[in-house]
Amino acid sequence: MEPIGDRLGMMQPKRLRRLRHSSGIRRLVSESRLEPSRLVLPIFVSEELKTKQPLASLPGHYHWPAAEVAQIAKQAESLGIPGVLIFGVTGTKDPAASRAFASDGPTQQAVASIKQAAPSLVIFADTCLCAFTDTGHCGVVQDGRLDNDASVEVIARTAVAQAEAGADFVSPSDMMDSRVGAIRNALDHAGFSETGIMSYAAKFASSMYGPFRSAAGSAPAFGDRRSYQIDPHSYRQGLASVERDLHEGADIVMVKPALVNLSLIHQIRQRFDVPLSAYNVSGEYGMVKAASERGWMDERSAALEIIGSMVASGADFVITYHALDAAGWTSV
Ligand code: PBG
Ligand code: ZN
């Protein structure tokens, strides 16, 4: 049979499907390759527990006692995941957030035991107060208002405690002004000039954090976080926040939530020559989990598509609750 273009008297139409015929050719021309080395696993550590407790809002995740947290860290390490992000959880909440910076606080205990059990892992410690304050806010509340500068002092103190415990990177997620500079200063003065800062720079007041807040017990007791986190409809403020945090000394900047901000990830990648992480947050994980439980999605392909979109947009690594699964799925 004569070619279709000849019959129609036109140029041969472009046959784009030639690149799609077999799994081999699709893999060869694949534009974003996912590997375990792009993943960071979030881990929750509770100071009240003796054994691990499953988290209803984050299926597949647990509250770990510090004494057992090495198990999951070693599992991540053996799957080729380079880093973990530690969240401390406590029932002991007070106005000063004292368990956040106590030398035996849950984050510090977890960091120390992971450092010992899995020394090659990069340990990121989430540096915030919301799981430790009696108000559930990310800073110190005075007379019903969040006191920015008083909060920054406690946050910097928390960062130093995390560095003392062995964290490689502290990761401020509070969104107070000037926290990054204050943390850099405090770390340097305490002798931790080698400890890095991954700032939650473009962090939005999103509806995607629900499952996390019930896991961390960090929902605000009154009001919301819109006076400190960025309005999700104002993503240029994310660019301003990235620029400011880099100026103050952030080593790595993050976009959170990532899935609804792919265009911002892309823009940051074009504008700033710095390492960029993407947080595939709890609500994004929950959407995939819930839909796959109902048979509406295939969990594996949905999760890989979502994580892949973050990498393709320009993220160097993705913090994701799917990290353990995805590491298995992507290492062929
Ligand atoms: C706390 C913090 C939150 C997350 C990370 N650190 C919640 C919040 O800001 O309310 C969200 C993570 C997720 O949803 O997976 N500062
Ligand atoms: Zn917080």
Side-chain angles (χ1 to χ4, degrees):
M1 208 205 275
E2 62 182 323
I4 191 170
D6 288 358
R7 257 182 292 146
L8 301 173
M10 57 194 258
M11 252 175 40
Q12 291 303 323
K14 216 167 181 232
R15 298 244 177 207
L16 294 173
R17 289 183 52 228
R18 284 180 198 126
L19 299 178
R20 300 172 198 161
H21 283 315
S22 68
S23 143
I25 186 66
R26 289 191 298 268
R27 282 163 59 214
L28 279 171
V29 301
S30 170
E31 296 170 35
S32 77
R33 286 191 173 78
L34 267 185
E35 358 175 310
S37 63
R38 300 242 177 236
L39 305 170
V40 165
L41 174 71
I43 299 176
F44 296 91
V45 181
S46 159
E47 63 178 342
E48 272 93 23
L49 294 175
K50 291 268 174 290
T51 51
K52 67 174 184 178
Q53 286 294 327
L55 297 175
S57 68
L58 282 168
H61 285 262
Y62 299 85
H63 273 171
W64 292 89
E68 283 181 13
V69 74
Q71 282 174 29
I72 181 102
K74 281 195 200 150
Q75 193 188 343
E77 189 184 41
S78 69
L79 283 163
I81 294 172
V84 292
L85 173 59
I86 306 301
F87 292 96
V89 177
T90 182
T92 312
K93 298 163 189 285
D94 59 32
S98 41
R99 298 307 293 161
F101 53 82
S103 58
D104 65 346
T107 313
Q108 286 70 262
Q109 283 191 43
V111 167
S113 82
I114 293 173
K115 191 93 238 168
Q116 208 193 10
S120 78
L121 275 183
V122 179
I123 304 182
F124 296 91
D126 183 85
T127 313
C128 200
L129 307 184
C130 52
F132 305 95
T133 50
D134 53 356
T135 62
H137 277 289
C138 302
V140 177
V141 174
Q142 257 146 23
D143 305 325
R145 285 178 63 93
L146 207 92
D147 185 328
N148 189 93
D149 296 7
S151 303
V152 167
E153 253 175 64
V154 184
I155 288 159
R157 185 169 173 188
T158 301
V160 171
Q162 294 172 338
E164 270 165 358
D168 299 291
F169 285 83
V170 299
S171 311
S173 62
D174 54 286
M175 295 302 283
M176 297 303 126
D177 282 324
S178 74
R179 78 255 161 89
V180 173
I183 289 173
R184 185 68 274 156
N185 221 356
L187 288 174
D188 290 350
H189 278 95
F192 296 105
S193 56
E194 295 299 316
T195 306
I197 302 175
M198 172 171 76
S199 88
Y200 288 65
K203 172 169 177 176
F204 295 88
S206 170
S207 50
M208 304 281 164
Y209 308 149
F212 172 95
R213 287 183 192 167
S214 62
S218 67
F222 61 87
D224 52 45
R225 305 211 201 289
R226 285 182 292 182
S227 82
Y228 40 105
Q229 300 178 349
I230 305 169
D231 174 12
H233 302 283
S234 299
Y235 93 85
R236 282 192 298 270
Q237 288 187 32
L239 288 171
S241 194
V242 164
E243 187 171 18
R244 191 269 314 268
D245 284 7
L246 288 171
H247 182 73
E248 290 185 20
D251 301 285
I252 304 173
V253 288
M254 185 205 292
V255 171
K256 174 182 171 208
L259 186 55
V260 290
N261 289 296
L262 296 177
S263 60
L264 179 58
I265 292 176
H266 177 65
Q267 281 212 23
I268 295 171
R269 171 46 64 238
Q270 292 189 317
R271 283 198 200 188
F272 304 98
D273 293 323
V274 297
L276 174 60
S277 62
Y279 201 143
N280 177 204
V281 299
S282 60
E284 296 169 346
Y285 176 79
M287 292 193 283
V288 173
K289 275 280 176 200
S292 17
E293 269 165 25
R294 292 188 173 201
W296 291 352
M297 262 184 215
D298 173 62
E299 183 176 9
R300 172 182 172 145
S301 51
L304 292 179
E305 189 176 336
I306 287 171
I307 298 167
S309 74
M310 295 165 186
V311 174
S313 301
D316 297 301
F317 62 92
V318 178
I319 301 155
T320 176
Y321 301 95
H322 269 119
L324 292 177
D325 290 331
W329 294 331
T330 56
S331 56
V332 202

